[in-house]
Amino acid sequence: MEIITSILAGILFATAIYNLLQKQLLRIVIGTALLSHGAHIFILTMGKLKTGQPPILTDGVSDYTDPLPQALILTSIVISFGVTSLLLVLAYRTTKENNTDNMEQLRGKSNE
Amino acid sequence: MIFAVLIPLIIACFIPLLSKLKEKIHTGIFVLFVPLSIFLYFVQFLGRDFNPIRHTYNWIPSLGINFDFYLDGLSLLFALLISGIGALVVLYSIFYLSKQERLGSFYVYLLMFMTAMLGVVLSDNIFVLYTFWELTSISSFLLIGYWHFKERSRYGALKSMLITIFGGLSMFGGFILLWVVTGTTSIQEMINQVDVILDSSYLPLILGFILLGAFTKSAQFPFHIWLPDAMEAPTPVSAYLHSATMVKAGLFLIARFSPIFSGSEWFFIVVSLVGITTLCWGSYMAVRQTDLKAILAFSTISQLGMIMAMLGFGTTAAVFAAIFHILNHATFKGSLFMVAGIIDHETGTRDIRKLGGLITFLPITATLALFGTFSMAGVPLPFLNGFYSKELFFDATLHLDSTTFLAQAIPYLAVFGSIFTFVYSMYFFFGVFTGPKQLDKLPKKPHEAPIGMLLSPIVLVAGVILIGLFPNIVNAPFLLHAAQAVNPDVEFHKVAFWHGFNTPLKMSLIVVAIGIILFVTRKKWSKVYTILPGKLSLNKVYDQIVEKLDVISGAITRSYMTGSLKNYMSIILASTLIVSFVFMFITNGFTLEYDYLADVTILEVSVVIIMIIAAVATIFTNHNIAAILVLGVVGYGVAILFVVYRAPDIALTQFVIETVTVALFLLCFYHLPKLRKSTDSARTKMTNLFISVGFGALMTMVAISAHSSNWFESISDYFVETSYKLGGGHNIVNVILVDMRGLDTLFEIAVLGIAALAIIGLIKLKKDKGAQ
């Protein structure tokens, strides 16, 4: 199963990168969102998938799944949410100010 | 001795204060005492029973870099030249530069240069020597660009800077290699280890690097091109730096290291060849010049080439002749520059085509020039020192240790170069002082210079005549020690005017005879210059190199600094891909293990398939709502995977956050332009596809390979065991987040807070109307 999730992470990365390389600002934001999903799946795969109970101490259970990747992913989700929402608003504001959402047109002038 | 070196620099600190007084007293008068006292200090070391003196002052002892001052005959010769001619140049400059000039800057630079030059000749430590060496380049740069409002000055200053610093850095490389080979920073100790250096496999590099430094500094072919352009400096600077002192730093370096390198066959070949080439090319080109200082510049180049060649010969006679000529050249060339300065000062031009018949107006200057030029030409008269050194030079060319073809050719080349030396010397004198008067072409009415201005060249010409009349008075107490420092085998050499009718005298007479013929028929054969050099010019090569470097580096920078985010992303990702794949391939990093894999179930596989379809769909959808929905599908798919893999907390978070994100996307998409179809060309699409698929494959491989190589057990058991005991909680993930690794959480809260503030700022901030 780890191989399948690895492939899933790879495909998420590939689609994320493809979106990042586009010209439209929105596609780039979609790309970053996909990238963070890919990273989360990646971290999850690095822990062992499904070897025990959820990591909540219960009497009579000694076999738990690895709690550490979960804590890391939780932190990461929150941070990527913060970044994604900031990017979205930034995209909104950029488009409003410059009347374009095309990255090619948002390039600096050649003499800068 | 450290004070003798550093006094100019210390006095230079007070010059700006003194120059405030310049309305009343010329600043140069205060400065004059500095070189004079240094000169007197060094004069006391003259004498037959001279022994080298060493003084050490600590600077960076842990690296072996100290102010090791070593005074032997060679250093003494140069120190006396630097301080003596320095004093005369300062005296001359008092009358040459008016009080309206920026005298403070001038004397600060000049004193800085004096310190640097004394440091170069007295240092025994290679790294201290290099420090002073670069200081000479910098102060020379400042002095050449003294009239910085003139474009030619700035061009000349930059050119000399680039070329000499290039050589200086190369010399530094040679020094470092020497230090690596010998383990010492002292030149004298290196001379003791000469076998180690000669046996070293680095020898070609050391020799090449150090010679490059010496050749660039001493304006040897083909690095001579900076010297004619350095003539934009004020004439006292040209007289001091570019005839008597700085350009001889390269000669000093060769002389200083020749006890080490003369054992190498290549030293003879390279140094002699470069020296002789410079001698011939410089004297040939000097005849062509029309500017007085340009004639003198090429003359300096050619004379330096002659000394360089003699140092390259390395025989006892040649070394003595080289040392003798260093002294002689400093006297007559210094005086000639000052004469050129007087002519410029009194007539307003240095163009030899406009000058003529000045002997009636400037009789004293003419007399001085007569001695200077005739000595430079090597006219056989018993009161001109130039003749003696030329005679010794011819003698040296005839008695070389080597019997190669080069050694056979050298006497002929020497005569060839000397003939042209004779021609330009005569041209300089007769072109300026005799012939038709062209007073209407002169900007000023010429009249004799003030006595103060004439004083310095008079002293120098007195030196020319004195050495000419009694060549042996400087020989035994002074030059012998200098020559012995270069080649210990040199013995006392009695210089005499008449040696009998021998080959060197015949060569001298040939030079004079052909020289007179060529000078008289100069107009007839001067067309030769349209053939050689014709269009061939080393200046053009230099200009092209400088210009092309600028253009090419600009083009390279513009080619990748496109300002396009997409291009930068492509470059970053592509290089990551290449490096990672190559590294994986080289180290055989990819491993695949099937043990410990979790079971594959239908539920998980179907979730994964749905996610893959949704993820790929984000690329193809061109509809806003559809894009949000497929993105949401991926997010919820991730959440379901979290549920399946027994991660309730992150599943919960993921559901909530995904919902909020989708809402946010909806909100923004409402305001943002619609998604469009990509307008990229097929080629760009292919590149993008290649990079993204490659990156995805890379991440998959990394994930599989990382999972397959399980190096050690996880530390998670510790968290499971101590979650309740230490943290007092049953939910292990939450205990990790707030107890075990609480700091992460603190800053993740900070991230959210900052993001929130930034969002508020972005939305609330009004557009600044005033700003562009």
Side-chain angles (χ1 to χ4, degrees):
Chain A
M1 194 62 220
E2 277 86 349
I3 293 173
I4 294 174
T5 48
S6 296
I7 292 166
L8 172 63
I11 288 172
L12 284 177
F13 273 112
T15 51
I17 299 288
Y18 194 87
N19 273 311
L20 280 180
L21 291 173
Q22 298 301 305
K23 284 179 191 156
Q24 216 172 354
L25 210 47
L26 270 176
R27 295 233 185 246
I28 294 174
V29 184
I30 292 173
T32 52
L34 283 174
L35 196 70
S36 54
H37 289 319
H40 299 155
I41 299 286
F42 189 95
I43 302 175
L44 191 73
T45 311
M46 289 299 101
K48 288 197 174 72
L49 293 176
K50 221 202 273 194
T51 48
Q53 294 298 308
I56 296 170
L57 291 175
T58 325
D59 287 337
V61 177
S62 60
D63 190 19
Y64 298 101
T65 47
D66 198 336
L68 191 56
Q70 299 192 11
L72 296 179
I73 293 170
L74 193 58
T75 310
S76 167
I77 289 173
V78 175
I79 290 175
S80 62
F81 167 67
V83 173
T84 309
S85 44
L86 178 64
L87 271 179
L88 265 175
V89 179
L90 190 64
Y92 160 75
R93 180 82 194 202
T94 311
T95 314
K96 275 270 137 55
E97 296 282 311
N98 297 300
N99 294 322
T100 176
D101 65 340
N102 189 335
M103 287 306 289
E104 293 299 307
Q105 291 168 6
L106 286 168
R107 275 153 78 154
K109 293 186 185 66
S110 59
N111 57 355
E112 273 174 346
Chain B
M1 202 185 293
I2 191 168
F3 290 109
V5 174
L6 291 184
I7 271 177
L9 207 57
I10 296 165
I11 298 291
C13 299
F14 296 100
I15 292 293
L17 299 174
L18 290 175
S19 63
K20 298 282 177 216
L21 295 170
K22 75 173 180 186
E23 294 308 318
K24 294 187 187 104
I25 309 166
H26 198 285
T27 316
I29 294 169
F30 299 106
V31 177
L32 186 57
F33 295 103
V34 179
L36 211 56
S37 51
I38 299 173
F39 183 74
L40 292 176
Y41 171 78
F42 281 114
V43 162
Q44 62 163 323
F45 295 106
L46 283 178
R48 282 166 196 276
D49 50 350
F50 171 73
N51 281 316
I53 302 165
R54 172 188 284 279
H55 288 290
T56 299
Y57 306 91
N58 278 357
W59 183 15
I60 315 173
S62 56
L63 293 177
I65 300 175
N66 297 310
F67 289 105
D68 281 326
F69 291 124
Y70 181 78
L71 184 75
D72 62 356
L74 188 66
S75 319
L76 187 63
L77 167 69
F78 275 90
L80 284 171
L81 277 181
I82 292 159
S83 51
I85 296 188
L88 295 174
V89 161
V90 171
L91 177 67
Y92 179 77
S93 70
I94 293 172
F95 296 90
Y96 186 83
L97 291 173
S98 76
K99 287 180 187 168
Q100 275 74 48
E101 300 276 3
R102 294 174 300 120
L103 290 177
S105 311
F106 180 80
Y107 287 110
V108 167
Y109 302 157
L110 199 73
L111 288 174
M112 200 164 110
F113 172 78
M114 210 177 282
T115 284
M117 206 57 218
L118 285 169
V120 165
V121 299
L122 289 169
S123 293
D124 186 43
N125 190 300
I126 46 173
F127 294 117
V128 176
L129 173 63
Y130 172 72
T131 310
F132 285 117
W133 184 278
E134 292 298 37
L135 194 59
T136 63
S137 296
I138 293 165
S139 46
S140 161
F141 167 77
L142 290 169
L143 284 166
I144 296 168
Y146 177 65
W147 287 316
H148 53 72
F149 42 84
K150 291 202 288 189
E151 211 242 320
R152 294 289 309 165
S153 291
R154 297 198 299 273
Y155 173 79
L158 186 66
K159 194 176 190 177
S160 73
M161 179 85 157
L162 287 176
I163 293 177
T164 52
I165 295 278
F166 162 74
L169 283 174
S170 135
M171 185 187 85
F172 188 46
F175 281 174
I176 290 175
L177 285 175
L178 266 181
W179 175 63
V180 168
V181 170
T182 60
T184 173
T185 53
S186 157
I187 298 171
Q188 294 306 316
E189 279 171 41
M190 284 173 185
I191 291 173
N192 293 335
Q193 295 189 43
V194 63
D195 295 334
V196 179
I197 297 168
L198 289 180
D199 291 341
S200 159
S201 55
Y202 289 124
L203 181 68
L205 279 180
I206 294 173
L207 196 61
F209 282 160
I210 291 182
L211 289 184
L212 200 57
F215 291 160
T216 50
K217 199 75 162 181
S218 279
Q220 298 296 298
F221 190 86
F223 306 109
H224 64 273
I225 50 172
W226 66 267
L227 191 60
D229 283 307
M231 291 302 131
E232 294 300 323
T235 301
V237 173
S238 309
Y240 189 34
L241 273 68
H242 307 127
S243 75
T245 53
M246 189 179 88
V247 287
K248 295 208 173 95
L251 300 176
F252 171 79
L253 194 75
I254 300 279
R256 183 49 97 203
F257 280 96
S258 65
I260 299 176
F261 294 137
S262 55
S264 162
E265 192 186 347
W266 282 101
F267 179 79
F268 164 74
I269 295 173
V270 175
V271 178
S272 312
L273 191 65
V274 169
I276 281 286
T277 312
T278 313
L279 165 65
C280 296
W281 185 251
S283 62
Y284 173 72
M285 288 298 283
V287 183
R288 188 196 188 198
Q289 307 303 317
T290 52
D291 180 64
L292 288 185
K293 278 171 85 176
I295 298 177
L296 292 177
F298 276 103
S299 146
T300 305
I301 291 168
S302 111
Q303 303 275 323
L304 292 171
M306 174 175 153
I307 302 171
M308 190 65 87
M310 286 192 276
L311 288 172
F313 299 162
T315 56
T316 55
V319 165
F320 180 79
I323 297 290
F324 192 38
H325 196 65
I326 286 175
L327 178 67
N328 292 343
H329 177 249
T331 54
F332 66 70
K333 191 51 66 65
S335 71
L336 282 177
F337 266 107
M338 289 173 184
V339 162
I342 290 171
I343 295 165
D344 187 16
H345 207 265
E346 302 306 329
T347 64
T349 182
R350 293 198 311 253
D351 192 331
I352 199 162
R353 291 167 299 190
K354 294 181 187 166
L355 297 165
L358 288 180
I359 195 160
T360 48
F361 300 100
L362 302 159
I364 305 175
T365 315
T367 317
L368 295 173
L370 181 76
F371 283 109
T373 49
F374 277 50
S375 177
M376 179 158 78
V379 175
L381 291 170
F383 51 87
L384 294 174
N385 60 3
F387 169 68
Y388 294 95
S389 30
K390 184 132 296 176
E391 192 94 320
L392 289 171
F393 170 59
F394 286 146
D395 191 38
T397 60
L398 294 171
H399 299 96
L400 295 178
D401 286 339
S402 172
T403 51
T404 53
F405 172 72
L406 176 65
Q408 304 288 326
I410 277 173
Y412 298 99
L413 290 169
V415 169
F416 174 81
S418 300
I419 290 169
F420 281 95
T421 306
F422 187 87
V423 174
Y424 71 70
S425 301
M426 296 304 116
Y427 179 48
F428 185 94
F429 180 76
F430 292 107
V432 173
F433 292 105
T434 62
K437 294 176 187 135
Q438 310 179 57
L439 292 182
D440 50 321
K441 284 190 185 171
L442 298 179
K444 287 185 190 172
K445 188 171 164 24
H447 54 81
E448 187 57 89
I451 178 68
M453 216 167 181
L454 291 168
L455 214 54
S456 299
I458 286 172
V459 172
L460 286 172
V461 167
V464 168
I465 298 170
L466 198 67
I467 300 173
L469 288 175
F470 311 104
N472 293 314
I473 57 163
V474 290
N475 187 344
F478 185 26
L479 295 180
L480 184 62
H481 299 301
Q484 277 171 344
V486 182
N487 186 341
D489 300 331
V490 177
E491 284 170 1
F492 179 68
H493 193 292
K494 194 165 187 323
V495 184
F497 177 69
W498 185 251
H499 283 289
F501 196 70
N502 53 9
T503 322
L505 186 65
K506 281 179 205 159
M507 287 162 86
S508 284
L509 293 176
I510 292 170
V511 166
V512 173
I514 301 183
I516 289 172
I517 296 168
L518 280 184
F519 173 66
V520 173
T521 59
R522 188 164 41 84
K523 293 220 166 50
K524 297 216 171 82
W525 58 269
S526 60
K527 289 194 189 77
V528 168
Y529 286 102
T530 58
I531 302 163
L532 184 82
K535 294 224 168 82
L536 185 92
S537 162
L538 288 163
N539 284 314
K540 274 190 198 144
V541 175
Y542 164 83
D543 289 338
Q544 283 291 311
I545 288 173
V546 171
E547 192 188 325
K548 282 283 181 306
L549 269 180
D550 206 31
V551 170
I552 291 170
S553 61
I556 290 173
T557 308
R558 272 192 298 281
S559 71
Y560 70 92
M561 298 295 286
T562 51
S564 155
L565 193 67
K566 180 185 155 306
N567 285 3
Y568 299 153
M569 279 293 289
S570 306
I571 292 170
I572 293 169
L573 293 169
S575 41
T576 313
L577 268 182
I578 292 166
V579 170
S580 310
F581 270 119
V582 167
F583 194 73
M584 257 192 168
F585 183 76
I586 291 172
T587 57
N588 225 348
F590 185 73
T591 49
L592 183 57
E593 290 227 11
Y594 294 103
D595 307 341
Y596 315 115
L597 288 185
D599 299 329
V600 181
T601 65
I602 301 290
L603 171 68
E604 292 157 30
V605 172
S606 41
V607 171
V608 166
I609 289 169
I610 290 169
M611 283 175 70
I612 290 173
I613 293 169
V616 175
T618 56
I619 295 169
F620 295 103
T621 179
N622 292 317
H623 195 271
N624 281 12
I625 302 293
I628 302 164
L629 285 181
V630 286
L631 194 59
V633 168
V634 178
Y636 289 122
V638 174
I640 292 169
L641 280 184
F642 289 157
V643 172
V644 174
Y645 293 126
R646 315 279 198 273
D649 293 289
I650 48 175
L652 186 65
T653 318
Q654 180 67 30
F655 273 123
V656 174
I657 296 258
E658 195 54 40
T659 312
V660 178
T661 314
V662 168
L664 246 170
F665 267 93
L666 276 173
L667 205 68
C668 285
F669 277 32
Y670 178 73
H671 293 285
L672 288 173
K674 298 254 181 303
L675 285 176
R676 289 181 302 270
K677 252 185 113 140
S678 169
T679 52
D680 287 337
S681 64
R683 191 164 159 232
T684 324
K685 275 184 182 161
M686 278 312 291
T687 321
N688 291 352
L689 192 68
F690 181 76
I691 292 176
S692 48
V693 169
F695 203 77
L698 174 72
M699 292 314 284
T700 304
M701 280 171 70
V702 169
I704 293 171
S705 146
H707 194 269
S708 299
S709 43
N710 213 346
W711 296 106
F712 38 76
E713 281 304 304
S714 161
I715 57 161
S716 299
D717 293 341
Y718 171 81
F719 293 124
V720 175
E721 280 166 24
T722 57
S723 169
Y724 185 71
K725 270 186 267 176
L726 296 179
H730 292 284
N731 187 331
I732 306 169
V733 173
N734 287 7
V735 169
I736 292 175
L737 281 173
V738 297
D739 275 326
M740 313 282 194
R741 301 180 56 90
L743 216 55
D744 288 359
T745 313
L746 175 67
F747 288 107
E748 134 196 2
I749 293 166
V751 167
L752 266 193
I754 291 166
L757 286 175
I759 288 169
I760 292 172
L762 276 174
I763 294 173
K764 290 271 177 192
L765 212 63
K766 291 282 174 284
K767 188 177 182 180
D768 189 356
K769 297 283 181 200
Q772 277 295 314

